[in-house]
């Protein structure tokens, strides 16, 4: 009887520990959901910004092709056209909290691997790829030499006709459009991957809730 009592006590203790782990798992999965939802918004904002940048570049290209006269309304587009993208764009907060408390809290091997792959592989590759396409010092040098920068988020050419007729300036604009389109593709891929993993986590939590409800109904 004593042995049976000990075994029952151990089973109860193990059940309580598993229950605590599932509560903690749910807590950290919800934190990761918040992080991924933030990242979805960050990626979307970056993509919107790139599209706005490209519109400014197209306006400048149209001005070159049609030999338009200078207007200070172009100054904002000159500045927008030269924006280059930083790689530091996503949040890791929910994932960091999970790592600090043990990745193995995630019971599903598949989901655990998907989460780790997203944060430690996909985001890292995205960051590295964007770094390889940004911060061309020759472009900054050209801007410093040929434009006056203003605090009011605009840049005015020192010699408008000279800049608009410069083949090198034209090549810069075309290069930055290609760069933007490439980065937009990278970010769109990361956005889709983030949304996919986000949905996997939501499905896992929904499944866990359903299993708990079934268990509760069975006991009743």
């Amino acid at each position: 009887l004593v042995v049976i009592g000990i075994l029952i006590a151990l089973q109860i203790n193990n059940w309580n520990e598993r229950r605590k782990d599932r509560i903690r798992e749910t807590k950290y999965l919800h934190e990761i959901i918040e992080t991924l939802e933030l990242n979805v918004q960050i990626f979307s904002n970056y993509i919107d910004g790139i599209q706005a940048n490209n519109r400014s570049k197209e306006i400048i290209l149209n001005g070159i092709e049609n030999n338009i006269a200078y207007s200070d309304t172009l100054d904002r587009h000159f500045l927008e056209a030269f924006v280059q993208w930083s790689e530091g764009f996503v949040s890791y907060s929910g994932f960091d909290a999970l790592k600090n408390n043990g990745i193995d809290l995630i019971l599903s091997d598949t989901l655990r691997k998907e989460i780790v792959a997203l944060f430690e592989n996909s985001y890292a590759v995205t960051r590295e790829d964007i770094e390889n396409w940004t911060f061309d010092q020759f472009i900054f040098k050209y801007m410093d030499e040929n434009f006056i920068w203003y605090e009011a988020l605009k840049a005015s050419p020192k010699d408008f006709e000279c800049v608009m007729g410069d083949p090198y300036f034209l090549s810069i604009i075309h290069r930055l459009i290609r760069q933007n389109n490439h980065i937009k593709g990278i970010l769109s891929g990361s956005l889709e991957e983030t949304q996919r993993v986000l949905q996997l986590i939501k499905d896992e939590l929904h499944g866990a809730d359903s299993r708990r409800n079934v268990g509760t109904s069975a006991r009743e």
Side-chain angles (χ1 to χ4, degrees):
L1 290 177
V2 173
V3 172
I4 293 174
I6 292 173
L7 290 175
I8 292 174
L10 287 173
Q11 288 177 340
I12 292 173
N13 183 65
N14 290 337
W15 181 84
N16 284 332
E17 288 301 317
R18 287 194 297 270
R19 180 174 175 275
K20 290 177 183 177
D21 284 344
R22 298 292 66 78
I23 291 172
R24 293 169 67 203
E25 177 191 31
T26 299
K27 172 181 179 293
Y28 291 118
L29 285 178
H30 278 294
E31 290 184 7
I32 291 177
I33 284 176
E34 291 179 3
T35 298
L36 294 184
E37 287 176 341
L38 173 60
N39 288 346
V40 164
Q41 189 60 54
I42 291 171
F43 283 131
S44 298
N45 290 344
Y46 266 84
I47 291 169
D48 289 345
I50 286 174
Q51 291 172 331
N53 266 186
N54 276 351
R55 285 194 292 271
S56 287
K57 293 178 179 66
E58 294 295 342
I59 288 171
I60 292 171
L61 288 178
N62 181 68
I64 294 173
E65 292 170 3
N66 293 285
N67 196 29
I68 64 171
Y70 172 72
S71 166
D72 60 7
T73 58
L74 289 170
D75 291 351
R76 178 179 64 83
H77 296 296
F78 282 122
L79 183 64
E80 286 286 332
F82 280 88
V83 169
Q84 298 191 69
W85 298 95
S86 169
E87 77 285 355
F89 47 76
V90 291
S91 171
Y92 284 76
S93 59
F95 181 64
D96 287 341
L98 175 63
K99 281 204 305 183
N100 291 337
N101 288 274
I103 293 287
D104 290 338
L105 276 173
I106 306 302
L107 191 61
S108 167
D109 290 337
T110 300
L111 183 60
R112 187 189 323 116
K113 290 175 182 177
E114 291 281 4
I115 292 171
V116 171
L118 177 66
F119 281 97
E120 296 192 343
N121 297 330
S122 296
Y123 285 169
V125 170
T126 297
R127 183 183 305 109
E128 182 178 353
D129 204 352
I130 290 177
E131 282 179 339
N132 291 334
W133 278 76
T134 55
F135 300 113
D136 188 323
Q137 293 302 322
F138 289 103
I139 292 178
F140 286 120
K141 184 174 184 292
Y142 186 91
M143 282 292 287
D144 284 336
E145 290 175 349
N146 293 279
F147 288 81
I148 300 172
W149 299 71
Y150 295 94
E151 292 183 0
L153 299 179
K154 63 180 184 177
S156 177
K158 295 176 182 177
D159 186 328
F160 178 77
E161 293 183 0
C162 180
V163 166
M164 298 294 272
D166 184 355
Y168 182 62
F169 177 69
L170 179 63
S171 72
I172 287 175
I173 297 299
H174 281 298
R175 174 182 174 178
L176 289 176
I177 289 175
R178 291 194 301 273
Q179 171 181 302
N180 270 6
N181 289 336
H182 181 77
I183 292 174
K184 179 184 173 183
I186 296 170
L187 294 173
S188 295
S190 290
L191 172 60
E192 291 175 5
E193 185 67 6
T194 300
Q195 291 171 324
R196 186 184 69 82
V197 175
L198 177 59
Q199 190 59 51
L200 287 176
I201 297 173
K202 289 181 177 180
D203 290 345
E204 176 68 21
L205 289 172
H206 179 72
D209 287 341
S210 298
R211 289 190 294 272
R212 279 193 293 270
N213 291 336
V214 168
T216 300
S217 298
R219 286 193 297 272
E220 292 174 349

